[in-house]
Amino acid sequence: MSTINDVALKAGVSVTTVSRVLNNRGYISEATRAKVYKTMEELNYQPNELARSLLRKQSNLIGLIIPSVAHPFFGELTNHIEYYAYQNGFKVLLCSSHMDPAKEKDYIAMLKRNRVDGIIMGSHTLEVEEYRNLNSPIVTFDRQIDNEIPFISSDNYQGGVLATELLISKGCRYIVHICGNLELKMLSNYRNDGFKDTAEKHGVRHITIQTDMNVFDQQQYEQIIQRMLETYPDVDGIFASSDIIAGFAVRECLGKGKRVPQDIRIVGYDDVNMASWFIPGITTIKQPTEAIGRLAVELIQQQLNGESFEPDNILPVELIERSTS
Amino acid sequence: MSTINDVALKAGVSVTTVSRVLNNRGYISEATRAKVYKTMEELNYQPNELARSLLRKQSNLIGLIIPSVAHPFFGELTNHIEYYAYQNGFKVLLCSSHMDPAKEKDYIAMLKRNRVDGIIMGSHTLEVEEYRNLNSPIVTFDRQIDNEIPFISSDNYQGGVLATELLISKGCRYIVHICGNLELKMLSNYRNDGFKDTAEKHGVRHITIQTDMNVFDQQQYEQIIQRMLETYPDVDGIFASSDIIAGFAVRECLGKGKRVPQDIRIVGYDDVNMASWFIPGITTIKQPTEAIGRLAVELIQQQLNGESFEPDNILPVELIERSTS
DNA sequence: TATTATATGTCAAGCCTTTGACATATTGAT
DNA sequence: ATCAATATGTCAAAGGCTTGACATATAATA
């Protein structure tokens, strides 16, 4: 790889001059500018960002830690984050924790070693303390660390309310919420609060079933749903905390000879693309994935610029009715 | 962020000594080693990888260019690539081209500026020439650039054969292959060859329908399939070039009142997780995504090490029978 | 003509880390 | 007492780039 020196030499100018055209500062004649660009072209020169970052103390790198990009929700979220990062001159370093605390810790250290300008945390297997004192701009998704660190989440409580109201309005009298582990202090737990409050308000029987915190575990989902269907055969409404779980619920119900939505109604969460591809299409609570992605990048940028920012970002959800309700 | 200097100062040793414990070279007493580690801990020191990379002329970064991580197949592939990259001490810089040649070109330049150790190309919107002379280790997925640059693909021809044989053996007499644009010289075009050869061998009527090269275009898929179903109402077998397209095909067929698989049989490609979640489960040709991911990283590593490597990597496919055939 | 804006050059420090060359001390073994 | 292994230190260069300070020269303007 050629260096700025090679360019200067070949173009017959000083490195300072090349640096000046590269960074658009000081006086440069059009002729010199053109000559330098031409030489860079000829030498196939690309300024070394490692050296630049080292000097500037800014890498334009954003670290993104998520459970897995193979999960449709995180895949779509990552897609939007990557898009807006690129728009704002950032590159994204992808880290999949696979819900392994050791790996997550490792990744955080790695990101610090690489001097990322900020970290977007979509995976939360560590204790809250571990995330403090990272002294790097952070944005958190679906988890509140403290008042200093901004978080983004969808309006989980409202999502729970909307889903539950729908089930009840359609006539469900015995509803279940299948969600992640409530021990983890995730903001998504509010979905369960919305669910319970609404069910109680309407005097509807309700139970909550927690899954382990595995990202994807087809077997576990199937088992939990089967057991639930056996233990509570009278359930006539399911609010699942992801469209994938909802999909499995549909599958198991149909397998058990229950008609959806006539015998049992099912509402998911997320509104991943897949939710509309399923047959029947899954009724769900839409998270504004694109807005979340955009905001995440913005919040990093704002912290970087020393601007003030909103620490609590709860984005609106929307009920999308399809065929499972 | 503290530097190696701060550590040396605080620990009361020289930077050379710190560097020695950091890199495990030269003589170091256990006492000093412990003292240095303790100080690093206290200062929350993380060696600056930018400086190290600059010096070593090696960044341990792999650039991954794909159409979109929101696409299930690429999401799963990315997941595996990230996994094996991490295992081998690499970090992944994620780039989503969204099938935009300008963006892809930009990304390539960006990756060079960042001195990535290698590039895994899963998006191919540029002319073959553009990929040559990148003088960086490259691995290509589903496209052959030249004999120097290694490629990986599934056994597309065999995939086409397996899918077609299955349809015919189940009694299909008029089959259609829905695939991407054949103009692009992608290795996946061989699926169509396998399809045609097999259909002709058995004397079965067959047609090929190409889609545009958009990653995801629900509308387009629906339209193409609807039009196909209207134009060729006698079609009784579909080989779709992705599970997503297959999913839409199932949906449209059921919508038109055709029974799957009784009236029309459908086979997909990829075997993304989703294919088994669909109702009915989609019969498909499985690409060995994990093996592809592992091999991609290995091929970068081998090129980096100056080892010899296999340029042509065609990985076996497998027929997965579910309920649409 | 004097002044100013424009254009380029030289020089050197600094970003953080690694590494080789070399020097000096302290051990323990012979 | 001597030698070698062990342990640490000093010093400086290198990696590629940016930037400020200063110097110089040409062209345009007052």
Side-chain angles (χ1 to χ4, degrees):
Chain A
M1 284 257 75
S2 43
T3 73
I4 197 175
N5 233 303
D6 301 330
V7 176
L9 231 58
K10 175 144 196 222
V13 298
S14 69
V15 282
T16 305
T17 300
V18 178
S19 177
R20 283 203 264 251
V21 345
L22 225 40
N23 298 286
N24 259 316
R25 39 173 53 247
Y27 293 119
I28 287 290
S29 69
E30 269 318 307
T32 318
R33 188 185 302 278
K35 187 170 56 181
V36 169
Y37 274 129
K38 185 161 153 282
T39 313
M40 295 200 299
E41 190 91 354
E42 285 167 14
L43 290 179
N44 201 354
Y45 170 74
Q46 301 285 356
N48 187 330
E49 284 297 331
L50 296 170
R52 290 178 138 190
S53 300
L54 179 59
L55 191 63
R56 297 204 175 118
K57 295 170 160 300
Q58 182 173 329
S59 63
N60 292 315
L61 236 35
I62 287 183
L64 172 61
I65 307 187
I66 51 167
S68 165
V69 84
H71 187 290
F73 176 75
F74 286 105
E76 292 174 26
L77 181 60
T78 298
N79 187 46
H80 290 122
I81 288 174
E82 197 276 341
Y83 176 81
Y84 287 104
Y86 177 75
Q87 291 281 312
N88 288 272
F90 290 111
K91 304 145 255 177
V92 350
L93 225 40
L94 179 66
C95 307
S96 298
S97 72
H98 294 280
M99 291 312 209
D100 175 351
K103 212 175 170 192
E104 195 179 320
K105 213 167 169 177
D106 238 49
Y107 269 130
I108 291 175
M110 182 275 272
L111 293 175
K112 294 185 76 172
R113 282 199 304 276
N114 284 276
R115 300 299 190 265
V116 295
D117 289 346
I119 301 181
I120 298 175
M121 298 272 341
S123 173
H124 307 280
T125 60
L126 303 177
E127 296 304 312
V128 168
E129 282 68 39
E130 307 253 25
Y131 297 107
R132 273 196 266 268
N133 311 95
L134 282 189
N135 63 341
S136 152
I138 308 189
V139 173
T140 272
F141 177 66
D142 254 351
R143 193 174 195 200
Q144 185 168 21
I145 307 289
D146 59 28
N147 297 325
E148 315 293 293
I149 299 178
F151 73 81
I152 307 177
S153 81
S154 64
D155 192 341
N156 287 292
Y157 186 86
Q158 177 66 6
V161 171
L162 286 176
T164 315
E165 291 279 11
L166 178 72
L167 289 174
I168 294 173
S169 77
K170 295 280 186 173
C172 296
R173 306 307 304 152
Y174 192 5
I175 57 184
V176 53
H177 180 206
I178 304 175
C179 61
N181 194 317
L182 296 172
E183 299 276 305
L184 303 162
K185 291 277 168 276
M186 303 282 289
L187 295 169
S188 46
N189 293 358
Y190 288 126
R191 294 176 200 171
N192 189 235
D193 298 340
F195 169 77
K196 285 200 300 198
D197 290 356
T198 307
E200 275 155 26
K201 179 176 144 199
H202 291 278
V204 167
R205 265 170 88 194
H206 61 93
I207 42 178
T208 297
I209 293 178
Q210 302 175 40
T211 65
D212 294 346
M213 235 346 228
N214 303 322
V215 205
F216 260 162
D217 190 342
Q218 180 155 356
Q219 298 239 312
Q220 188 199 173
Y221 290 162
E222 283 171 356
Q223 244 177 47
I224 285 182
I225 293 162
Q226 277 173 22
R227 197 173 317 142
M228 186 273 287
L229 254 24
E230 279 160 24
T231 319
Y232 311 100
D234 298 339
V235 160
D236 57 3
I238 300 178
F239 169 35
S241 243
S242 81
D243 293 332
I244 304 209
I245 297 180
F248 279 107
V250 171
R251 176 172 265 271
E252 294 302 323
C253 289
L254 294 178
K256 280 253 179 309
K258 291 184 185 268
R259 291 168 306 161
V260 179
Q262 295 86 341
D263 302 331
I264 188 162
R265 291 166 204 279
I266 300 173
V267 179
Y269 204 98
D270 291 344
D271 192 32
V272 291
N273 291 324
M274 242 181 54
S276 71
W277 301 343
F278 261 89
I279 310 162
I282 294 176
T283 291
T284 191
I285 304 296
K286 178 188 180 70
Q287 294 209 59
T289 331
E290 181 167 358
I292 294 170
R294 184 177 348 107
L295 187 54
V297 175
E298 273 173 21
L299 283 166
I300 294 286
Q301 183 85 75
Q302 287 165 1
Q303 291 179 74
L304 230 39
N305 295 349
E307 297 168 19
S308 69
F309 55 86
E310 172 58 46
D312 300 358
N313 300 276
I314 299 177
L315 271 37
V317 294
E318 191 187 340
L319 173 66
I320 307 286
E321 283 198 67
R322 296 205 179 86
S323 312
T324 57
S325 58
Chain B
M1 284 258 73
S2 45
T3 73
I4 196 174
N5 231 302
D6 302 331
V7 176
L9 232 58
K10 176 144 196 222
V13 297
S14 69
V15 282
T16 305
T17 300
V18 179
S19 177
R20 283 203 263 251
V21 346
L22 224 41
N23 298 285
N24 260 316
R25 41 173 53 248
Y27 292 119
I28 288 289
S29 70
E30 269 318 306
T32 318
R33 188 186 301 277
K35 187 170 57 181
V36 169
Y37 274 130
K38 186 162 152 281
T39 313
M40 296 199 297
E41 191 92 352
E42 284 168 12
L43 290 179
N44 202 354
Y45 170 74
Q46 301 285 356
N48 188 329
E49 283 297 331
L50 296 170
R52 290 177 140 189
S53 300
L54 179 59
L55 192 64
R56 297 204 175 117
K57 294 172 161 299
Q58 180 174 329
S59 63
N60 292 315
L61 236 35
I62 287 183
L64 172 62
I65 307 186
I66 51 166
S68 166
V69 84
H71 187 290
F73 175 74
F74 287 104
E76 293 174 25
L77 180 60
T78 299
N79 187 47
H80 290 121
I81 289 174
E82 198 277 341
Y83 176 81
Y84 286 104
Y86 178 75
Q87 292 281 313
N88 288 273
F90 290 112
K91 305 145 256 177
V92 173
L93 224 39
L94 180 65
C95 307
S96 299
S97 72
H98 294 281
M99 292 312 208
D100 175 351
K103 212 174 170 191
E104 196 178 319
K105 213 167 167 176
D106 239 49
Y107 269 130
I108 291 175
M110 182 274 273
L111 293 175
K112 293 185 76 172
R113 281 199 303 276
N114 283 276
R115 299 298 189 265
V116 296
D117 289 347
I119 301 180
I120 299 175
M121 298 273 341
S123 172
H124 307 280
T125 59
L126 303 176
E127 296 303 314
V128 168
E129 281 70 38
E130 307 251 26
Y131 298 107
R132 273 197 266 267
N133 310 95
L134 282 189
N135 62 341
S136 153
I138 308 188
V139 173
T140 273
F141 176 67
D142 253 352
R143 194 174 195 201
Q144 186 168 20
I145 307 289
D146 59 31
N147 297 324
E148 314 293 295
I149 299 177
F151 72 82
I152 307 177
S153 80
S154 64
D155 192 341
N156 287 292
Y157 186 87
Q158 176 66 6
V161 170
L162 285 176
T164 314
E165 291 277 9
L166 179 71
L167 290 174
I168 294 173
S169 77
K170 296 279 187 174
C172 296
R173 306 307 302 152
Y174 191 5
I175 57 185
V176 53
H177 179 207
I178 304 175
C179 61
N181 194 317
L182 296 172
E183 299 276 306
L184 304 161
K185 291 276 169 276
M186 304 283 288
L187 294 169
S188 46
N189 293 358
Y190 287 127
R191 295 177 200 171
N192 189 236
D193 297 340
F195 169 77
K196 284 200 300 197
D197 290 355
T198 308
E200 274 156 27
K201 179 176 144 198
H202 291 277
V204 168
R205 265 171 89 193
H206 61 93
I207 42 177
T208 296
I209 293 178
Q210 301 176 41
T211 66
D212 293 346
M213 234 348 227
N214 303 322
V215 204
F216 261 161
D217 190 342
Q218 181 154 354
Q219 298 239 312
Q220 188 201 173
Y221 290 162
E222 284 171 357
Q223 244 178 46
I224 285 182
I225 293 163
Q226 276 173 21
R227 196 170 320 139
M228 185 273 286
L229 253 26
E230 279 160 23
T231 319
Y232 311 100
D234 298 338
V235 159
D236 56 4
I238 300 178
F239 170 34
S241 243
S242 81
D243 293 332
I244 305 209
I245 297 179
F248 279 107
V250 172
R251 177 172 265 271
E252 295 301 324
C253 288
L254 294 178
K256 280 252 177 311
K258 291 184 186 268
R259 291 168 305 161
V260 178
Q262 295 86 343
D263 301 332
I264 187 163
R265 293 167 202 277
I266 299 173
V267 180
Y269 204 97
D270 291 343
D271 192 32
V272 291
N273 291 324
M274 243 181 53
S276 70
W277 301 343
F278 262 90
I279 311 162
I282 294 175
T283 291
T284 191
I285 304 296
K286 179 188 181 69
Q287 294 209 58
T289 331
E290 181 167 358
I292 293 170
R294 182 175 352 105
L295 186 54
V297 174
E298 274 174 21
L299 283 167
I300 294 288
Q301 183 84 76
Q302 288 166 1
Q303 289 179 75
L304 231 38
N305 295 349
E307 297 168 19
S308 69
F309 56 86
E310 172 58 47
D312 299 359
N313 300 276
I314 298 178
L315 271 37
V317 293
E318 191 186 340
L319 173 66
I320 307 285
E321 282 198 68
R322 296 205 179 86
S323 312
T324 56
S325 58

